[in-house]
Amino acid sequence: GIQVEQSPPDLILQEGANSTLRCNFSDSVNNLQWFHQNPWGQLINLFYIPSGTKQNGRLSATTVATERYSLLYISSSQTTDSGVYFCAVAGGGNKLTFGTGTQLKVEL
Amino acid sequence: EAGVAQSPRYKIIEKRQSVAFWCNPISGHATLYWYQQILGQGPKLLIQFQNNGVVDDSQLPKDRFSAERLKGVDSTLKIQPAKLEDSAVYLCASSPLGGRWDEQYFGPGTRLTVT
């Protein structure tokens, strides 16, 4: 099956800082999603981005499908951005394979 | 638009007991998924339904886990008998069609503790 690697595994930022999270995957994909899992465990959809670039407020994402990676950018981070960020991909079907996540902590 | 609903939110049982979880997907979504998330890991797919038929249950431990989606809407996931290693969050998700381009939406999950 598809392998998904995320980096860094842990990240601590001061409020207002910018960051880049990376997701590498081992095969071609038809679906790639970024999620934020909040402290209550809810998976919140951030981006559906199998290719190209999207922006939503302080967040943006880029997927370069031919090189098998995706990047999530967080600008002007806030304490509410804390939590785990997951990248998930699907190949031929729609079975999502998740990475191990990036644990982000934003401090005042 | 209402999101994916799950109940209960929390459940504590003893090993060898049985437990059932319920999921109501987003209205009109044809495809429903159950994922298991063990602490510190990403979610792992257990079973995928397209309407009321099973598309993928390759990672479902069928000796103890069962799932059904009657009438192609609500779904229940059952564990009988539970083991300590079943302690996890069980997430339900749905997508409109289930095709390779579909975005999945997740419910709040059920946190199961087996003692």
Side-chain angles (χ1 to χ4, degrees), chain A residues 29-31 33 35 37 39-43 45 47-48 50 86 90-100, chain B residues 9 33 35 37 40-43 45 48 56 58-59 91 95 98-108 111:
Chain A
V29 299
N30 297 306
N31 180 352
Q33 293 184 239
F35 297 92
Q37 189 163 45
W40 296 270
Q42 174 78 55
L43 277 170
N45 290 42
F47 293 103
Y48 170 75
F86 285 106
N94 207 32
K95 169 184 172 180
L96 284 178
T97 298
F98 282 74
T100 52
Chain B
R9 293 296 311 278
Y33 314 78
Y35 289 82
Q37 185 177 19
Q41 300 180 15
L45 180 71
Q48 175 182 347
D56 185 344
S58 58
Q59 298 192 82
L91 295 161
S95 65
R100 60 183 185 174
W101 307 111
D102 260 2
E103 183 172 4
Q104 295 184 30
Y105 299 87
F106 283 76
R111 185 176 299 274

Side-chain angles (χ1 to χ4, degrees), chain B residues 15-71:
Chain B
K15 59 184 179 182
R16 291 187 290 273
Q17 286 187 323
S18 63
V19 64
F21 313 127
W22 173 83
C23 173
N24 184 256
I26 293 172
S27 177
H29 279 196
T31 307
L32 185 148
Y33 314 78
W34 283 102
Y35 289 82
Q36 179 193 58
Q37 185 177 19
I38 293 172
L39 186 64
Q41 300 180 15
K44 180 188 78 173
L45 180 71
L46 292 176
I47 189 167
Q48 175 182 347
F49 292 94
Q50 178 85 13
N51 297 309
N52 59 355
V54 175
V55 174
D56 185 344
D57 64 356
S58 58
Q59 298 192 82
L60 186 74
K62 298 180 187 65
D63 58 334
R64 297 183 301 106
F65 286 64
S66 64
E68 60 181 9
R69 190 184 184 198
L70 300 176
K71 300 181 181 179

